[in-house]
Amino acid sequence: MKSGRLWSWIIFALGAAYFLLPLLATFEFSLRIRREGYTFDAYTSVFSDGRFQASFSYSLIVGICAIVVGLLIVVPAAYYVRLRAPHLRPIIEFITLLPLIIPAIILVFGYIRMYNTSSPLPLLGTNLGTDILLTLAYVALALPYMYRAVDTGLRTIDVQTLTEAANILGANQATIIAQVIFPNIIVAVLSGAFLTLAIVIGEFTIASLLNRQVFGVYMQNIGANRAFEPAALAVISFVITWGAMGMIQLLARFAPKTARRD
Amino acid sequence: MATEFLRQEFLRIEKLVKTFGGNQVVKGVDLAFDKGEFVSLLGPSGCGKTTILRMIAGFERPDSGRILVEGKDISGLAPNQRKIGMVFQAYALFPNMNVADNIGFGLKIAGMPKPQREARVEEMLKLIGLSGYGKRYPFELSGGQQQRVALARALAPSPRMLLLDEPLSALDAKIRVSLREQIRQIQRELGITTVFVTHDQEEALSISDRIVVLNTGNVEQFGQPFEIYNRPQTRFVATFVGTLNTLNATVADAGQKTVTLGGTTVTIPALPASARNGEAVALTMRPEAVSLANGAARDIVLDGKVAEVSFLGSVIRLKVDLGDNAVNLDTFNDPRTPPPEHGAPVRVGIASSDVLVLDK
Ligand SMILES: Nc1ncnc2c1ncn2[C@@H]1O[C@H](COP(=O)(O)OP(=O)(O)OP(=O)(O)O)[C@@H](O)[C@H]1O
Ligand SMILES: [Mg+2]
């Protein structure tokens, strides 16, 4: 009993060291930009860089757009599959897994072939078109996480009975999804949203090949040209990701209204 | 019935058929319910009660047949166009909304302005005896309270019909009885035509105007509780509703409607004309049609021994061993007389007019 506990602590400590040591080392390195001692100058330099602000806000906007578009597709789809077409579930699950199986580079070359300036739908011909394409690419990348998050949320409620209860009270499908289903899976939806955001903030391949100045491309750029700033950036993006995860936990706690009694 | 001439047909179901994957679960059901009537659909698990209710609500599409409300076929209407209220077994309150918003949901969908909506919600809360609970969330309520909120939610938009699918089966016995009385009282107050699904015969008998007894997708009998219980038309109804005694007898003279039972010959008015002399026949009767024979008025008298005594409170149920037969009978609990003891010799009396002969 006692030794079992000891062993679990040892394994926990090893695991924690495996994750935390590189992070701590990176953080420590990012503070050593001045020979005199530790300073946050690398961070100041990053935050005051106009390209940091521009690329980060661009990634944020694209991420939010991808979340909205993704939710508009995934919530009704997952809802419909649960309610009306449970036999399609394996097929849908397989489709949502495709972005994990197919490398992003293939996706983006496909896009370039399909939507180049001499194609019937020359999205790549304009800046807005390319932004739209990038957003849709991120929707596809986030699909496996988004679908699973939403589907897990749907599993916690009695979708069919709630739908029927709202339906017989006069609500149509759109109203049911917006007012009955969505509010009850909001925690799951948000965790899908933050995961999407985390993916988008760090994405490099697609954006760089579509020639968009996203945060990932900026990080790569800095990484190739500077020594201490990339370390600072890595720490910053960790903080952002962890912040997003923390938000999921926090929101889960602040939504006790939907909790079941037993 | 004195009110016979006031009856007005409200819901009519014609030749309703529903098949699930080759399995016909509703087999040509015909029914007509009156306006303001409280009808129960009673039957064992899997007999198609829920399926019929869901076809009335519009959640299932009949394979064939029609459902008419006040003479109009509603088959083409989606559930949200039918103006029907429904209460589900699992309450199905919206977990993200408080009690007031749950009750007001249908009104909001219908576009009722907020002040009127709030007034109506207040009114409904009062009707179900939960004034002051408007701000609570469903998970803060007991099962019985949740089901009352579900009832108020169904009734708030003034539907033309109310459907309830085993609304009490998730509740404990005490609440079940008090809530069914409350449902019945509210139904009477509003005069709303109600279809109530249950597999509990006592529940159906106690609150319904009429009962539809269903078995494997067919209507076995449709009538008032009194008729269903006392004059079951089929063996299924007789055995499913209430307890039934069966005594084995032999037809003595079919023309005279006499049978031999335990060595004596008795006249059974209910003996069918098709009976033949010497044929075995099963005589059936309710426990309350059998009494301990210390008085007259019972023309069949049989001797036996007490085999079992169950004390049920106001009633004592005895099982009497009659040699080749056994009967259950009920006697009232008289606080001054202790119940008969196990093995004691007793004499039982049966009025031959209470005896039913059911085809096998
Ligand atoms: N959606 C469905 N798909 C396939 N079979 C179904 C479906 N709904 C009901 N059935 C079948 O139809 C039959 C009747 O079901 P129904 O739910 O109407 O019974 P019920 O009388 O309400 O029973 P219970 O008292 O158990 O609720 C059952 O055998 C059931 O398995
Ligand atoms: Mg049922």
Side-chain angles (χ1 to χ4, degrees), chain A residues 84 156-158 160-173 175-176 178-185 256-262, chain B residues 54 57 59 79-86 88 90 92-97 102 105-106 108-109 137-142 146 153-154 157 163:
Chain A
R84 291 281 146 73
T156 62
I157 58 173
D158 185 347
Q160 187 183 343
T161 316
L162 289 180
T163 299
E164 287 178 353
N167 197 208
I168 198 87
L169 285 167
N172 59 26
Q173 283 301 321
T175 312
I176 293 171
Q179 293 188 26
V180 176
I181 302 300
F182 193 79
N184 284 307
I185 58 168
K257 284 170 189 169
T258 61
R260 284 280 161 102
R261 212 160 128 105
D262 39 22
Chain B
R54 290 172 58 80
F59 297 135
N80 59 347
Q81 300 165 320
R82 294 194 179 194
K83 296 193 169 58
I84 289 176
M86 185 154 175
F88 300 81
L93 294 178
F94 307 129
N96 59 309
M97 298 179 202
N102 261 285
F105 185 82
K108 194 170 142 208
I109 297 291
Y137 278 85
F139 74 94
E140 298 172 306
L141 301 179
S142 72
Q146 288 189 53
R153 181 180 66 176
L163 309 177

Side-chain angles (χ1 to χ4, degrees), chain B residues 20-21 23 25-26 43-52 60 89 165-166 197 199:
Chain B
F20 285 118
N23 177 20
V25 298
V26 177
S45 184
C47 69
K49 309 179 293 287
T50 298
T51 307
I52 294 175
E60 304 285 357
Q89 182 177 349
D165 191 356
E166 309 211 17
V197 164
H199 61 252

